[in-house]
Amino acid sequence: MSPASPATLAADVAATLQPGFVGTSVPEWVVEAHAGGLASVCLYGDNISPDGGLAPVCTDAARRLPGILLATDEEGGDVTRVHYPAGSTAVGNAVLGRLDDPATTRAVAAGIGAELTDLGIGLDLAPSVDVNSSPDNPVIGVRSFGADPARVSRHGAAWVDGLQSRGVAACAKHFPGHGDTATDSHHDLPRIDAPLTVLHERELAPFRAAVDAGVATIMTSHIIVDALDPNRPATFSPTVLSVLRDDLGFTGVIVSDALDMAGASAQTGIPEAAVRALLAGVDLLCLGSATSEERYSAVHAAIVAAVECGRLPRERVAQAAGRVRDLAATTAAHLTASDAGALPPATTAADAGDAAVRGASPVLADDVVARAFHLSDAARSWIANPSPAAVVQVGSVANLAVGDVSWGPAGLGATVAEPEVADGAKVAVVGRAMAPEHPAHAVAQRLRAAGHDVVLVECGWPRGGADVETFGGSPAVARALLAVLRGEVSVP
């Protein structure tokens, strides 16, 4: 069959697509698409089993989609799929950045890689290497290693190294950097107006470090960066993606952020967004969580039509498909080697200093996690107060990347409702992303007015006004928080 035959074109187009689907078993249309060239699918919250986690769908995919590249967002911390909805056993990037021990970061990522390998997942859409320079960022926040480019760079590289040491491909995101935004590209089209010199020193530095660390894939963002291309979001900008290829020297697979996000397709629709992304230089098109057979077919048809009318070069599709197939083959070989015991041993606790990697789960001791916390003088006085303590957690809306996952002390069953606080108790009021209008502030005011000694605990990215800042809300962080509040663990 010649390279230009329609059947080969159809297969190449299929190889550039990465749909999600709903359910814990693989739909028949995905099986048919795989037979037609589909090389990758992405697993989301829609694939979580009733008992939690992705194991059932991974087992079904291994049986029905041989050689498929399974992908998911397992960042650790607040963003988890493997431990959804109970919450991740790993701390997130902001805690790791605060600890500032690359060996610990490497160990945590290696533990996540071991978990993914056990499930047959070959591509982890992590880590976020965005520099969270805007404290009001609604979508990055504690998913970032911090606000300092050098710190984000060294921990991003360590995370990539640790994950890929287990044979799982990493994905540095969200190129060219989503940290200096105050809007969420799931819902809007953010814009960054920083000067080019700032972009190179801040946004691009962690991606350069990830490339130097050998990261297998990089994800684009649906944001406009005025200094690079004031008219097109990064996912659809050949100018922006040429910075990644030509200036940073990246030769791996470029993955789009989900094309069902408003920042990508609200104006054009997903099929047209897919064509534009391929034209710009994206290789693997993430179609989103609830991809239907109809959406998949429409996107596939739009790309084929764009090639046949001469709008999209046939060579571009073949190039993208080749990169995706090579990645799928490489990760499949690593997973096979892992099953045979041929991969090197996972990072040990000794290698990670204070990190304790127990089996496949990357778990840090409470006293280690607590080193990342910040306590005010008021919080230290509160801890010293011998009064009985109560913890009240105030509901906080999470972004779509996090989803509806357990967080904070409530996830550990360690809270009480505001009306149930006993007379004379001291109270820790817990929330996350607590902007001035967050209801946690009103709860704290009411409790103080009732005579309680109250501290405000921030489990998200600090925005000012909190007495305790934990830089994350996963169960691993919540356990350390409770130990600190009880006086069992001290914070330097």
Side-chain angles (χ1 to χ4, degrees), residues 1-428:
M1 186 177 292
S2 71
S5 68
T8 301
L9 172 60
D12 278 355
V13 170
T16 70
L17 305 181
Q18 186 190 68
F21 56 86
V22 175
T24 58
S25 59
V26 178
E28 192 60 36
W29 71 263
V30 175
V31 176
E32 294 172 0
H34 179 246
L38 182 69
S40 179
V41 297
C42 193
L43 305 176
Y44 298 88
D46 290 320
N47 306 114
I48 303 300
S49 74
D51 296 327
L54 295 171
V57 73
C58 289
T59 298
D60 195 49
R63 180 176 64 87
R64 304 188 71 195
L65 306 173
I68 198 75
L69 175 60
L70 292 180
T72 197
D73 293 277
E74 188 61 33
E75 299 180 13
D78 288 15
V79 178
T80 182
R81 304 293 179 260
V82 173
H83 298 282
Y84 196 99
S88 177
T89 59
V91 298
N93 288 356
V95 169
L96 293 171
R98 293 272 297 176
L99 294 175
D100 201 15
D101 178 9
T104 297
T105 297
R106 190 175 296 108
V108 168
I112 290 173
E115 291 182 317
L116 296 177
T117 297
D118 287 346
L119 290 168
I121 295 172
L123 172 59
D124 188 5
L125 301 176
S128 167
V129 297
D130 306 287
V131 178
N132 201 66
S133 54
S134 172
D136 295 328
N137 194 310
V139 67
I140 303 301
V142 296
R143 300 166 68 193
S144 168
F145 291 107
D148 173 48
R151 184 171 300 206
V152 175
S153 296
R154 62 177 170 267
H155 287 280
W159 212 99
V160 167
D161 181 58
L163 183 78
Q164 294 190 165
S165 74
R166 307 310 305 144
V168 178
C171 183
K173 60 187 185 184
H174 306 79
F175 186 84
H178 206 317
D180 189 26
T181 64
T183 53
D184 183 348
S185 54
H186 289 92
H187 307 293
D188 298 291
L189 180 57
R191 183 181 294 268
I192 293 178
D193 61 1
L196 188 59
T197 54
V198 172
L199 288 173
H200 279 279
E201 295 171 359
R202 187 179 66 188
E203 271 74 14
L204 296 180
F207 289 98
R208 187 175 294 108
V211 171
D212 291 343
V215 69
T217 75
I218 289 179
M219 178 181 285
T220 64
S221 61
H222 310 318
I223 61 175
I224 291 179
V225 182
D226 286 334
L228 297 176
D229 187 336
N231 301 311
R232 293 171 291 190
T235 299
F236 312 110
S237 171
T239 304
V240 173
L241 298 190
S242 70
V243 172
L244 179 55
R245 291 293 190 199
D246 300 334
D247 296 356
L248 274 60
F250 180 62
T251 59
V253 174
I254 297 178
V255 185
S256 77
D257 207 345
L259 294 180
D260 63 345
M261 295 165 62
S265 58
Q267 301 300 317
T268 66
I270 297 172
E272 173 63 14
V275 172
R276 292 186 182 189
L278 276 172
L279 274 167
V282 174
D283 302 308
L284 183 57
L285 305 171
C286 179
L287 301 183
S289 58
T291 305
S292 63
E293 181 177 7
E294 291 74 21
R295 177 188 294 176
Y296 177 85
S297 297
V299 171
H300 189 282
I303 296 171
V304 169
V307 173
E308 291 178 340
C309 77
R311 179 185 174 197
L312 176 62
R314 177 70 180 86
E315 295 77 13
R316 170 81 272 271
V317 177
Q319 179 190 55
R323 286 178 178 146
V324 174
R325 290 188 185 117
D326 287 347
L327 177 64
T330 299
T331 56
H334 282 146
L335 292 172
T336 301
S338 175
D339 289 340
L343 285 175
T347 307
T348 66
D351 294 330
D354 291 311
V357 180
R358 304 167 189 166
S361 298
V363 179
L364 302 185
D366 291 342
D367 61 329
V368 176
V369 177
R371 294 176 197 169
F373 296 177
H374 177 264
L375 268 61
S376 69
D377 291 340
R380 296 180 189 277
S381 297
W382 186 95
I383 292 168
N385 180 348
S387 300
V391 179
V392 174
Q393 184 163 312
V394 181
S396 303
V397 177
N399 61 60
L400 289 176
V402 174
D404 188 14
V405 66
S406 296
W407 67 279
L412 303 179
T415 61
V416 299
E418 182 185 349
E420 298 171 359
V421 174
D423 292 342
K426 62 181 183 181
V427 188

Side-chain angles (χ1 to χ4, degrees), residues 443-455:
V443 172
Q445 288 174 358
R446 287 195 297 270
L447 289 167
R448 289 190 182 107
H452 297 280
D453 182 6
V454 178
V455 290

